[in-house]
Amino acid sequence: MRDAYHEELDSLTDSLVEMTRLVRSAMARALTALLDADLRLSEEVISGDEHVNKIDADIEATVFDLMARQQPVAGDLRTLITALRMSGDLERMGDLAVHIAKTARRRHPESAVPPELQATVLEMGQIAERMIAKTGSVIASQDVEMGLELDADDDQMDRLHRRLFDILLSPKWKHGVEPAVDITLAGRYFERFADHAVHVAENVVYLVTGQRPEEINEVS
């Protein structure tokens, strides 16, 4: 019985890693759809989100079932609680990729991103992809040091987010209100995506050490 129990705990990790893989794919396709006005990719991201949602629901059901049947304590209880939190963050990251894809679809056949912002938006998307890839590695390996690195990636995303606003608020902006709204929303989606990646990594750090990253940083 205990072996079966721990196999179920391990399966939660596998499911979370699978969610990161799906979310990374969704973000990559949403980014291309946004930059290239690719309607087919937009639709793939939107329809594919059901798979992410299903895994999230399965993880929630498994966690509640294990808590009811096994009455876990200490480390096992922490594993279940953090799995639930991470699954929620990953599900929301999938939603953010969908929002980006819907922005691309709404502006089709034009690109939602004017030429002078393409490089910045591309870099934001690449950082988002890198962060979710790193998040998957952190979950799989429980590497605390790698988990702590995501804060620096998030800082880079925040700098690019501010750069978007500098361009949008510049007197040289000539694309009008609607494109500015689209870019503002897309920038927010990328920024929130990075925040959720950091939250997932923080939960892995807590799972392994019993401490939050800020507590570790205070000691060091």
Side-chain angles (χ1 to χ4, degrees):
M1 288 292 291
R2 298 300 295 177
D3 287 344
Y5 169 50
H6 285 97
E7 283 177 8
E8 288 182 277
L9 288 178
D10 291 341
S11 76
L12 290 174
T13 298
D14 294 339
S15 294
L16 289 166
V17 172
E18 174 66 3
M19 286 184 79
T20 67
R21 186 189 67 78
L22 292 170
V23 170
R24 182 184 183 185
S25 175
M27 175 52 76
R29 287 178 292 163
L31 174 64
T32 300
L34 186 69
L35 294 171
D36 298 347
D38 191 317
L39 185 60
R40 179 184 61 83
L41 285 180
S42 296
E43 298 292 357
E44 285 182 5
V45 173
I46 294 165
S47 62
D49 192 50
E50 289 184 11
H51 194 180
V52 176
N53 293 342
K54 183 180 184 308
I55 297 176
D56 176 49
D58 289 345
I59 287 174
E60 181 177 303
T62 299
V63 167
F64 290 156
D65 178 63
L66 289 174
M67 291 179 74
R69 287 191 293 109
Q70 301 292 340
Q71 298 182 345
V73 295
D76 287 350
L77 180 59
R78 195 157 67 206
T79 295
L80 294 176
I81 295 301
T82 54
L84 204 56
R85 289 174 176 168
M86 289 188 282
S87 178
D89 275 312
L90 292 168
E91 189 274 333
R92 285 187 284 276
M93 292 170 82
D95 289 344
L96 290 164
V98 167
H99 292 330
I100 292 169
K102 286 182 176 179
T103 299
R105 184 176 68 178
R106 185 169 59 250
R107 298 295 294 168
H108 184 269
E110 303 297 324
S111 170
V113 186
E116 62 266 42
L117 285 173
Q118 289 257 335
T120 300
V121 170
L122 174 61
E123 191 174 354
M124 292 180 81
Q126 290 172 336
I127 291 172
E129 288 182 52
R130 186 167 69 242
M131 290 183 74
I132 186 59
K134 192 177 289 187
T135 299
S137 296
V138 169
I139 293 171
S141 65
Q142 296 193 348
D143 187 327
V144 170
E145 291 302 318
M146 187 186 299
L148 295 172
E149 289 173 8
L150 268 85
D151 259 340
D153 295 322
D154 187 45
D155 289 343
Q156 191 175 359
M157 181 71 86
D158 289 341
R159 284 193 293 272
L160 290 169
H161 193 210
R162 288 192 294 271
R163 184 191 300 172
L164 276 186
F165 280 103
D166 289 342
I167 297 172
L168 290 171
L169 296 173
S170 167
K172 296 180 180 179
W173 179 257
K174 59 181 184 298
H175 301 285
V177 173
E178 190 172 355
V181 171
D182 285 338
I183 291 298
T184 298
L185 290 173
R188 178 61 174 164
Y189 300 148
F190 285 120
E191 190 264 340
R192 288 299 299 150
F193 188 95
D195 287 345
H196 284 299
V198 171
H199 292 163
V200 174
E202 287 176 345
N203 275 294
V204 174
V205 171
Y206 175 69
L207 174 62
V208 174
T209 67
Q211 293 180 298
R212 293 295 176 187
E214 56 270 22
E215 296 172 327
I216 294 174
N217 292 332
E218 283 177 7
V219 173
S220 59

